[in-house]
Amino acid sequence: ENDNGNYRGIEKAVQYSSKMRRLEIALHQLIAQVGGMERVKATPLPIVYVTHLRTFLILYLLLLPYVYAAEWGFFTIPVVSLLAFALLGIDGAAHECEVPFSKGRVNHLDMDAFCITAMDNITQLVCHSVDMYERDSKLEHEPDKVRDALENC
């Protein structure tokens, strides 16, 4: 009996240790991802690049009707208008994606809500784990601590 109880205790300790190791790995991966997001946030496009791109985009769109007017006639106006709408829309979308976490923009990524949801999920998993541990081991030692933890969930 005593050997069997020790074996179960060691088995649970190994399971707990492996769970903690997986949690530590996931935490390190999360920290790496947050670091990547911080780098994206802190690295805007160089102004020279943006200015160069927009200048040539506008020049292209302004010269396009002169190139195709003889060939397309009056259809040049709607075709160039649609092309301008598409290309300027892509430029606008790129401008919005440049700073994805800025709260002052309409299309920002709400990282606060994401973090709150992640924290709620982690709390739920921890409470579930405590509940399963209590049911599994039928704790005869320290049942008050487990009950207190479950009440806080």
Side-chain angles (χ1 to χ4, degrees):
E1 252 183 65
N2 196 12
D3 290 338
N4 194 15
N6 286 340
Y7 177 73
R8 283 187 192 157
I10 292 172
E11 183 179 309
K12 286 185 185 208
V14 168
Q15 288 174 353
Y16 179 76
S17 174
S18 72
K19 284 180 185 178
M20 284 292 119
R21 181 69 184 141
R22 286 193 307 263
L23 184 60
E24 184 180 4
I25 290 169
L27 186 60
H28 285 295
Q29 290 172 344
L30 179 63
I31 290 170
Q33 294 297 323
V34 168
M37 286 189 274
E38 288 292 330
R39 282 190 293 282
V40 167
K41 179 181 178 182
T43 310
L45 288 175
I47 192 70
V48 173
Y49 176 76
V50 174
T51 305
H52 180 76
L53 219 109
R54 288 185 181 155
T55 301
F56 279 98
L57 178 62
I58 294 298
L59 282 174
Y60 173 75
L61 291 172
L62 288 175
L63 294 176
L64 196 60
Y66 295 109
V67 173
Y68 290 108
E71 210 174 304
W72 293 344
F74 287 108
F75 289 111
T76 305
I77 295 170
V79 169
V80 170
S81 297
L82 287 172
L83 189 62
F85 178 76
L87 292 177
L88 292 173
I90 291 171
D91 182 57
H95 182 67
E96 281 292 317
C97 292
E98 213 175 293
V99 186
F101 307 112
S102 175
K103 290 186 180 182
R105 293 182 180 235
V106 177
N107 296 318
H108 80 284
L109 298 175
D110 192 6
M111 289 304 294
D112 293 337
F114 174 75
C115 292
I116 289 170
T117 302
M119 189 64 177
D120 289 344
N121 290 342
I122 291 168
T123 304
Q124 187 179 23
L125 287 171
V126 168
C127 291
H128 177 72
S129 178
V130 167
D131 185 37
M132 294 303 290
Y133 181 75
E134 182 185 47
R135 275 193 243 152
D136 189 35
S137 65
K138 310 232 185 326
L139 284 176
E140 289 144 11
H141 61 288
E142 301 182 26
D144 296 330
K145 286 184 181 179
V146 175
R147 262 190 239 108
D148 291 342
L150 286 173
E151 287 173 4
N152 291 332
C153 290

